[in-house]
Amino acid sequence: MSRFHGQQFAKPENALKRAEELVAVGQKNAALQALHDVITSKRHRTWQKTLEKIMCKYVELCVDLRKGRMAKEGLIPFRIICQQVNVGSLEEVIKYFLKLATERADAARSQAEAMLENVEDLDELTSPEDIMLSYVSADKDKDRTDRELVTPWFKFLWETYRSVLEILRNNNKLEALYAMTANKAFQFCLQYKRTTEFRRLCEILRNHLTNLNNKYRDGRDRPDLTLPETYQLYLETRFEQLKVAVELELWQEAFRSIEDIHGLIALVKKQPKTQLMAVYYAKLTKVFWKSDNKLYCAYAWYKLYNLSKTYNKNLSPSDLKLMASAVLLATMAVSPYERKSISHHYELELEKERMFRMASLLGYNSASQKKESSTTVLSRAALMAELNAKGVVSLALPEVKAIYDCLEVGFHPLTLCELAKPLIGKLG
């Protein structure tokens, strides 16, 4: 243990000065401990600019030494000091902390790439140590380099995001900072294709929202989701989550993100902005298509078409034709025959529940309809009839209408493939 542990400073400035002296002689651990003692001391519970400088130096040392837990231990009391009088100070420290951790992770990645590229002599013989290592390990040079240089910093950066989200959660004065951190964590997962961490991140945010509605229902600083600004922040965070899930092609997580958005809308009982709903239905078309739910994919396209036609004043006639064509093609892709199932009653109930959930995401089912199958409301025949009644079929591109006439109007069982093949080829 450092001989500076437990040292008391009458003024925070003295602790900062002492920490800088210790850093200058290479004693970073002792400097970190000195600042930790000041930050966690009950003697300094009033915000002052010096405390912000101390915290900046503190997180800088935590990053240098990869002490994620100590960083969290220091940020918690600093949050308590700042949240009532100066949230901006906490924001500056958090941003600085995330910036330092991100820079070190990026630097480690660049260093690892440079080590693999910077081979001075291509004819140089492999050392005996490298030969032995290649026999006892299946890892390639890149894998070993990543594990030694990159992985520790990626783990630290991930731990940093997790700790900051935990510190900022469910506090109405910190909700903007919380949303910013969540978005940065999403971009980290997307940039480095961290699918496992993305799933964990989604679960963390999901638990925070659940606790907000249950455990912290009567909390003094609890965010009020009925306030427009708060509701918008939470919605935009979930939509960013959905976008990243789709880009990472995590379709199950994308579906859960859509359910999160739908649950948030149902909780607040307030419809989001039109632009967000357009993104919602556009992503829903992809998720339903990937999950082979073609009927619900067609209905999602129809919802997107109606929304765009009604509210998008900049939608050109050619774009409207393309959207109408997409709706019609998605509807024709649905099998016209119902699949007969001989499943057990339990499996039928599960299927019925699944169909109800998907229909509710499209806004078609109500609680009173849950006892009935959602196929009584949503069906290929019903959607096709509505497309004809609303003029969507007549608005589609000529090539798509030709396919529609071939498949839906005429009856050519023996020559259907020959007639449809050149028409479908024109779409490509």
Side-chain angles (χ1 to χ4, degrees):
M1 183 179 292
S2 170
R3 62 191 180 89
F4 300 103
H5 178 67
Q7 184 176 353
Q8 298 295 324
F9 295 94
K11 295 181 179 180
E13 296 91 335
N14 297 338
L16 182 59
K17 183 179 179 182
R18 183 59 182 157
E20 289 171 348
E21 291 172 354
L22 290 169
V23 170
V25 295
Q27 296 190 38
K28 291 186 177 182
N29 282 298
L32 180 61
Q33 188 62 56
L35 296 179
H36 181 270
D37 292 341
V38 172
I39 294 163
T40 56
S41 172
K42 295 181 179 179
R43 296 176 61 182
H44 309 291
R45 281 289 180 262
T46 304
W47 183 88
Q48 49 184 302
K49 189 64 178 178
T50 306
L51 284 179
E52 183 182 321
K53 293 179 181 178
I54 288 175
M55 278 305 303
C56 287
K57 189 66 179 179
Y58 181 79
V59 297
E60 188 179 313
L61 289 170
C62 286
V63 171
D64 283 343
L65 301 171
R66 286 208 299 263
K67 295 281 184 84
R69 182 168 294 183
M70 283 196 75
K72 185 176 180 181
E73 289 175 1
L75 285 169
I76 290 173
F78 189 65
R79 178 202 65 190
I80 296 171
I81 294 170
C82 291
Q83 66 182 2
Q84 301 298 337
V85 292
N86 195 335
V87 175
S89 179
L90 177 63
E91 183 175 351
E92 289 301 317
V93 172
I94 293 288
K95 285 181 177 178
Y96 185 58
F97 183 31
L98 294 176
K99 175 175 172 288
L100 290 175
T102 304
E103 285 176 351
R104 294 301 289 268
D106 291 342
R109 169 56 67 90
S110 301
Q111 184 182 354
E113 292 174 353
M115 284 181 64
L116 294 174
E117 294 173 0
N118 189 22
V119 180
E120 295 181 359
D121 188 357
L122 295 176
D123 293 325
E124 184 180 356
L125 295 175
T126 307
S127 67
E129 292 82 2
D130 290 338
I131 294 173
M132 290 182 65
L133 189 60
S134 67
Y135 277 111
V136 300
S137 173
D139 294 340
K140 297 181 179 179
D141 288 344
K142 184 180 185 304
D143 297 329
R144 286 197 297 271
T145 305
D146 283 351
R147 190 172 63 248
E148 292 170 5
L149 294 176
V150 181
T151 303
W153 282 110
F154 273 21
K155 284 183 176 179
F156 178 78
L157 181 56
W158 166 243
E159 184 184 348
T160 299
Y161 283 123
R162 225 171 30 172
S163 298
V164 171
L165 287 171
E166 186 69 23
I167 290 167
L168 302 176
R169 65 187 171 91
N170 299 340
N171 191 308
N172 58 6
K173 296 180 177 62
L174 308 173
E175 57 194 16
L177 193 53
Y178 176 87
M180 179 208 74
T181 306
N183 287 329
K184 284 181 177 290
F186 288 142
Q187 293 309 310
F188 162 73
C189 295
L190 179 61
Q191 182 180 356
Y192 297 109
K193 310 298 181 188
R194 308 302 303 182
T195 55
T196 303
E197 285 76 14
F198 179 74
R199 290 190 186 96
R200 290 174 183 163
L201 176 60
C202 294
E203 198 59 40
I204 287 169
L205 298 179
R206 209 167 280 129
N207 290 335
H208 288 175
L209 184 59
T210 302
N211 290 336
L212 174 63
N213 296 317
N214 298 328
K215 188 175 177 182
Y216 301 101
R217 184 178 292 275
D218 300 322
R220 184 183 65 177
D221 296 323
R222 172 184 177 272
D224 185 1
L225 291 174
T226 59
L227 294 175
E229 299 84 1
T230 302
Y231 178 57
Q232 190 67 19
L233 276 175
Y234 273 79
L235 261 184
E236 287 175 355
T237 301
R238 264 64 192 176
F239 272 98
E240 187 64 30
Q241 175 182 316
L242 173 59
K243 288 178 186 177
V244 174
V246 170
E247 289 191 48
L248 291 174
E249 297 186 351
L250 298 174
W251 302 111
Q252 187 174 3
E253 201 57 55
F255 184 78
R256 296 187 70 189
S257 300
I258 288 171
E259 286 194 312
D260 290 342
I261 293 169
H262 182 261
L264 191 59
I265 294 171
L267 180 68
V268 182
K269 296 181 177 61
K270 184 179 178 182
Q271 200 71 1
K273 292 180 179 178
T274 307
Q275 296 93 327
L276 288 179
M277 288 308 298
V279 173
Y280 175 83
Y281 288 120
K283 301 302 181 186
L284 206 52
T285 60
K286 292 185 178 181
V287 173
F288 281 148
W289 181 261
K290 287 290 182 178
S291 60
D292 200 30
N293 290 300
K294 293 185 173 61
L295 176 63
Y296 299 100
C297 176
Y299 270 99
W301 267 111
Y302 185 49
K303 281 277 191 178
L304 180 61
Y305 167 81
N306 283 330
L307 196 69
S308 302
K309 183 180 179 183
T310 306
Y311 295 102
N312 190 352
K313 305 303 180 185
N314 298 321
L315 193 68
S316 64
S318 59
D319 290 337
L320 191 61
K321 273 184 172 292
L322 286 174
M323 292 200 73
S325 302
V327 175
L328 186 56
L329 287 170
T331 307
M332 288 190 289
V334 181
S335 172
Y337 310 105
E338 292 186 5
R339 290 178 292 181
K340 299 296 181 183
S341 175
I342 54 173
S343 303
H344 295 294
H345 175 72
Y346 176 69
E347 293 177 350
L348 287 172
E349 287 297 316
L350 286 179
E351 179 67 12
K352 185 176 172 182
E353 179 67 26
R354 186 180 72 86
M355 293 167 71
F356 173 79
R357 284 170 61 195
M358 290 190 290
S360 66
L361 293 177
L362 291 163
Y364 283 102
N365 271 4
S366 63
S368 62
Q369 294 170 318
K370 192 168 184 178
K371 294 181 181 179
E372 303 176 4
S373 173
S374 63
T375 52
T376 60
V377 180
L378 306 182
S379 68
R380 184 184 191 274
L383 181 56
M384 194 64 80
E386 188 164 352
L387 296 185
N388 274 297
K390 299 292 185 180
V392 178
V393 174
S394 59
L395 192 61
L397 294 169
E399 304 94 306
V400 177
K401 280 193 286 186
I403 296 174
Y404 170 80
D405 291 336
C406 180
L407 297 178
E408 305 293 330
V409 179
F411 183 71
H412 316 284
L414 299 179
T415 58
L416 180 61
C417 292
E418 294 177 8
L419 293 171
K421 186 176 180 180
L423 297 174
I424 295 173
K426 289 181 180 179
L427 296 178

